[in-house]
Amino acid sequence: MDPGCLRDSFARVAMHGDQVALFFYSDLFLRHPETRELFPVSMAAQRDRLLNALGQIVADADKLDRLAPFLQGLGRDHRKFGALADHYGPVGESLLATLAHFSGDAWTPELAAEWNAAYQLVAQVMTDAAATDARRNPASWDATVLSHELRTFDVAVVRVATVQPLYYLPGQSVALEHPLRPRLWRYYSMANAPREDSTIDFHVRMIDGGPVSMALTRATDVGSWLRLGAPVGTLMLDTHSGRNVLLVAGSTGLAPIKALAEQLDGLPNPPTTHLFFGAQRAEGLYDLPALEKLAATAPWLHITACVFDDPRFAGERGYLPDIVARHGPWNGYDAYLAGSTTMTDATANRLVSLGVPDNQIHIEDFGWSEP
Amino acid sequence: MTVMSRADQRLTPDVVQSVTFPTSRLGRRGFDEDHVRVFCKQVEAELVRLLNERTSLQEEVRRLRARVLGRVAGDSGPGYRREDAHIQAVGILSKAQMTADQYVADAQEYSRQLAEDARRRRDEILSEARAHAEMVMEEAHSRGSQAAHVALVEAAGSPSSSQRGELEAELAYLRTFCDVYRTHLRAYLDALLRNVDEWEKAEQSAVSEVPGQLPAVLRRVAAPVARPEI
């Protein structure tokens, strides 16, 4: 395999941008119509993902130590989409047809052989990882909705029970598929430490125009079925640091933070912990009673509720990062932040400027932003 | 030219040259963000269209060239080639997919705007209601304290037992009056909140349509917005 040759070839093809992925999927669906079922109606996001993944694979083609884990993750990840080992052949066929189409005269039998060898390797690593994973875990977990509470007009707390046990660490999240929005997967954090009865809570905030979040907040009832992917995420409690703990949650960023707080509660000697929970308005503090209940039996846990824009709120008012900074110093603390990108970025910056080392700051960025 | 035009209108160089963006509302600097975003979308759609056209033209050139070369080499007929048919089918399916993508994107954008609008109006109604409630409470309070003051002054002047009885009766009346006012206010606010709830329910039923279909409200509106170029 010649990584340089593949890179040059891919650069020529990638010039055509979205067209490449468009051609690839049309070719695949025409040759193997049954594969269309595996994808959502709109393919726009899917095409971006394909090109990005291909770009990364080609860029790292000679760095196997980086490429292998990426491909293994990709292989495992595709199980929940219903991808089977049998699909890899057709995909390879269409991929080569696409490369040939956009390479024009530069497509030679030698180049075709290079690409074919590279694809076989990629497919092998992905299917191997998927097969290994299949020995331990289902492709996805079916879950039934036990309760659905609309806490504010745009935040719902959904409790589900999985049919098969789902093992995860507090702070992790899963991709979630709603029956009304087939083949659209969105990540949500588990909002509790694992329970004996294998029930899981999710905190869902309705994003304006977000197809999955709208279905989850507005069109989900007790008895609805959801599908969950394998747990992912790196917001994990460092239980050996010996430091105190600072937890900062903006809106439904509370979900992983609450799971961490519950995990701390289960430790024999929980460290002193400060939890800041912020919302735009007082009504957005949708889970404050549960936090206060937890704090009532946990002398190590201190809770500060903050509201950004509500002059009638009696507690802390202002921008969450400012309020957190005001309550410092936090040098001796491990900080865990979850919420909108703007909030987590700003808080991390404030903490760094207050002298908290980078490696003590752990972030779960929810992707959405908020003024 | 207004920028908020339909996405399927062709973008020409003179449009780009003459485009104007309205400046944004007070308190913000620069152009109105929404207008700029819409324009960028248009430019992007136009580029995709041009790239599409270019690819199919290149394809056409290649096919024609192959045919001409074939003739030169002595191949008499153009002949039907399976490969060509497949490439054409890929082109047709790609076009259909792009149309579907555009419909979904339009529907999502429309629902985003609706939700944003509803959110803004909800906030407005609630803050108006709050202001109104505060005003009413203040008025009730000041009337109550005035009455109490008058009663006290009168009581201080001639504190006979019959007058005290009267004053106590008046105080009791004022307390009841206050309670009644409070109940009225609560009912008023409840009614407002119910109103908000009804909106939400309407929205909910719109979201929970059959899978694979657009919500009724979107089906009606999205189609004319997203009519593809024919």
Side-chain angles (χ1 to χ4, degrees), chain A residues 15-16 18-19 22-27 29-31 36 40-44 47 100-102 104-105 150 152-154 179-182 184 186 205-211 214-215 217-221 281 283 310 312, chain B residues 48 51-52 54-55 58-59 62 65 83 86-87 89-91 93-95 97-98 100-101 104-105 108-109 111-113 115-117 119 122-123 126 130 134 196-197 200-201 203-205 207-213 215:
Chain A
M15 258 175 13
H16 296 267
D18 199 39
Q19 287 297 301
L22 194 61
F23 185 98
F24 165 78
Y25 283 115
S26 297
D27 187 86
F29 298 157
L30 279 169
R31 288 180 209 254
R36 183 63 182 91
V41 178
S42 170
M43 295 288 292
R47 287 196 296 274
H101 179 75
F102 288 98
D105 297 336
L150 205 54
T152 76
F153 82 104
D154 63 352
L180 286 177
R181 301 287 178 264
L184 286 183
R186 296 287 185 273
R205 181 173 178 274
M206 189 180 85
I207 310 287
D208 290 347
M214 282 173 103
T217 46
R218 295 288 171 172
T220 303
D221 288 313
R281 310 231 164 82
E283 61 175 12
D310 196 339
R312 300 148 44 89
Chain B
V48 167
L51 272 171
N52 269 338
R54 200 185 64 164
T55 313
Q58 278 173 342
E59 199 53 47
R62 204 186 308 173
R65 191 174 288 154
E83 196 64 14
H86 178 72
I87 298 285
V90 166
L93 185 56
S94 298
K95 219 167 241 175
Q97 183 61 56
M98 298 278 282
D101 293 352
V104 172
Q108 262 179 33
E109 173 59 18
S111 96
R112 188 188 65 77
Q113 284 174 5
E116 232 177 54
D117 239 39
R119 194 188 291 269
R122 170 185 180 277
D123 289 350
L126 281 180
R130 271 191 201 123
E134 263 161 30
V196 171
D197 279 348
E200 286 173 358
K201 269 190 208 108
E203 184 196 324
Q204 186 168 359
S205 57
V207 173
S208 58
E209 288 284 317
V210 199
Q213 282 191 344

Side-chain angles (χ1 to χ4, degrees), chain B residues 186-201:
Chain B
R186 205 160 277 146
Y188 171 68
L189 285 174
D190 280 349
L192 270 174
L193 283 173
R194 262 201 306 283
N195 229 332
V196 171
D197 279 348
E198 269 159 29
W199 284 0
E200 286 173 358
K201 269 190 208 108

Side-chain angles (χ1 to χ4, degrees), chain A residues 218-230:
Chain A
R218 295 288 171 172
T220 303
D221 288 313
V222 172
S224 298
W225 285 88
L226 302 175
R227 213 188 293 168
L228 318 180

Side-chain angles (χ1 to χ4, degrees), chain B residues 85-196:
Chain B
H86 178 72
I87 298 285
Q88 273 177 22
V90 166
I92 292 167
L93 185 56
S94 298
K95 219 167 241 175
Q97 183 61 56
M98 298 278 282
T99 310
D101 293 352
Q102 190 61 48
Y103 274 35
V104 172
D106 284 345
Q108 262 179 33
E109 173 59 18
Y110 181 68
S111 96
R112 188 188 65 77
Q113 284 174 5
L114 274 188
E116 232 177 54
D117 239 39
R119 194 188 291 269
R120 199 172 39 238
R121 279 173 55 189
R122 170 185 180 277
D123 289 350
E124 277 167 17
I125 289 177
L126 281 180
S127 75
E128 256 172 46
R130 271 191 201 123
H132 187 75
E134 263 161 30
M135 212 182 68
V136 171
M137 278 307 276
E138 235 163 61
E139 198 188 315
H141 189 76
S142 75
R143 271 200 214 164
S145 60
Q146 253 175 30
H149 183 71
V150 170
L152 271 177
V153 170
E154 280 176 7
S158 49
S160 81
S161 71
S162 72
Q163 264 178 334
R164 187 170 297 146
E166 258 174 48
L167 285 174
E168 273 166 7
E170 177 137 3
L171 267 178
Y173 164 76
L174 283 171
R175 262 189 213 116
T176 321
F177 171 78
C178 244
D179 284 348
V180 168
Y181 237 113
R182 213 169 267 146
T183 316
H184 275 309
L185 257 179
R186 205 160 277 146
Y188 171 68
L189 285 174
D190 280 349
L192 270 174
L193 283 173
R194 262 201 306 283
N195 229 332
V196 171

